[in-house]
Amino acid sequence: MVPTRTLTCHEAIACRQVAAIIPTRRNAKPWVNGKAGAQVRNEILRATHKLGRAIWEKWSGHHRRSWVESKMGCFKRLGERVMARDFDRQVTELQVRASILNWFTLLCTPQIVRVA
């Protein structure tokens, strides 16, 4: 049985003709559905089995995505409130947070290539 939400996600990605970097589960089996999303997902599964999970993640760019996601969790741990009491220090604190957020945004900005 194919999970509907996952199939819908893979179908949407395939319709846009972009590369999916969604890792499969460790015990994943090939989907028999003949749609484009299933074919792309099966290719990911084959590549993962052939290359190994760690190499596939580096090859596909997934390691970078997961790294940024974990760092965003660290950023959220900084808190939603400003901790400094002095106005100048509050400004500095917010500038540091903005700088960190800009760095994360730079890391995960996709490179868009027009397909002719």
Side-chain angles (χ1 to χ4, degrees), residues 26 36 47 53 57 68 73 78 83 99 111-112 114:
R26 298 207 185 273
R53 190 171 206 77
E57 285 181 359
V68 170
L78 292 173
M83 296 192 169
S99 177
Q111 295 177 359
I112 300 172
R114 186 177 180 143

Side-chain angles (χ1 to χ4, degrees), residues 28-41:
K29 305 284 184 230
W31 289 350
V32 294
N33 188 341
K35 294 184 178 181
Q39 292 172 354
V40 171
R41 189 256 184 197

Side-chain angles (χ1 to χ4, degrees), residues 8-111:
T8 305
C9 182
H10 278 283
E11 282 297 316
I13 292 169
C15 287
R16 289 181 175 88
Q17 297 179 346
V18 293
I21 56 169
I22 304 169
T24 57
R25 294 178 184 217
R26 298 207 185 273
N27 61 348
K29 305 284 184 230
W31 289 350
V32 294
N33 188 341
K35 294 184 178 181
Q39 292 172 354
V40 171
R41 189 256 184 197
N42 288 339
E43 280 299 316
I44 292 171
L45 180 63
R46 276 193 283 277
T48 304
H49 282 298
K50 192 172 193 176
L51 301 172
R53 190 171 206 77
I55 294 173
W56 176 83
E57 285 181 359
K58 288 211 179 218
W59 174 75
S60 67
H62 183 268
H63 72 291
R64 210 172 152 163
R65 176 179 165 246
S66 62
W67 182 76
V68 170
E69 286 175 359
S70 67
K71 290 300 171 188
M72 284 302 291
C74 295
F75 181 75
K76 289 179 182 177
R77 281 189 221 122
L78 292 173
E80 295 179 13
R81 296 182 184 179
V82 179
M83 296 192 169
R85 293 185 182 189
D86 183 51
F87 179 73
D88 291 332
R89 291 181 184 185
Q90 288 176 351
V91 170
T92 303
E93 182 180 342
L94 293 175
Q95 286 175 340
V96 167
R97 287 185 188 188
S99 177
I100 291 169
L101 186 58
N102 288 338
W103 176 250
F104 289 154
T105 303
L106 178 69
L107 286 176
C108 64
T109 301
Q111 295 177 359

